[in-house]
Amino acid sequence: MESPLYCFGASSPVDLIIKNNYNNDEILTLFQYTDEEGFNRIGTLKVNAKSTKTICLENEGPIEEGLYIFNGERTHKIRLKWAEDFVLNLNDTAHLVPTPSELKHLLDPKW
């Protein structure tokens, strides 16, 4: 159970619920995009095999129009506008997009 301070200070919080049904851990890098600045890396997180991870994001600005989630091979793009929570199943293809070439310089060195 999350702490009552889980998303403290967020004026428009959204829970991003990431389900990993794979048999291996997934390392995910999150990006937001704007026409003016291009891709900006938000951070990296690990979702253990056969588990679910929930993170709270501030759902204002560029992130509400498009959040890109890259696992080293595939990129998911989700739109958070108007959402209170969003469930992303990593083995689902509904949100897969071709990986933008502009992301290459922002990725972890191991990729």
Side-chain angles (χ1 to χ4, degrees), residues 13-17 54-55 59 79-88:
V14 61
D15 281 337
L16 174 59
I17 303 159
T54 302
I55 60 172
N59 193 17
R79 189 166 187 243
L80 299 172
K81 192 169 190 168
W82 311 116
E84 290 183 16
D85 60 8
F86 190 98
V87 178
L88 175 65

Side-chain angles (χ1 to χ4, degrees), residues 29-35 37-40 66-78 95-108 111:
T29 306
L30 284 66
F31 299 91
Q32 64 184 15
Y33 177 83
T34 63
D35 289 335
E37 297 181 23
F39 287 96
N40 286 316
L67 177 66
Y68 291 79
I69 301 168
F70 182 72
N71 76 344
E73 297 174 8
R74 297 175 303 158
T75 302
H76 296 269
K77 180 184 177 189
I78 57 175
H95 301 285
L96 283 179
V97 296
T99 301
S101 59
E102 299 90 353
L103 288 180
K104 291 181 182 173
H105 73 283
L106 299 172
L107 299 175
D108 284 334
W111 289 318

Side-chain angles (χ1 to χ4, degrees), residues 41-52:
R41 183 177 169 172
I42 297 171
T44 302
L45 59 100
K46 177 181 175 183
V47 183
N48 294 327
K50 301 287 186 184
S51 70
T52 300

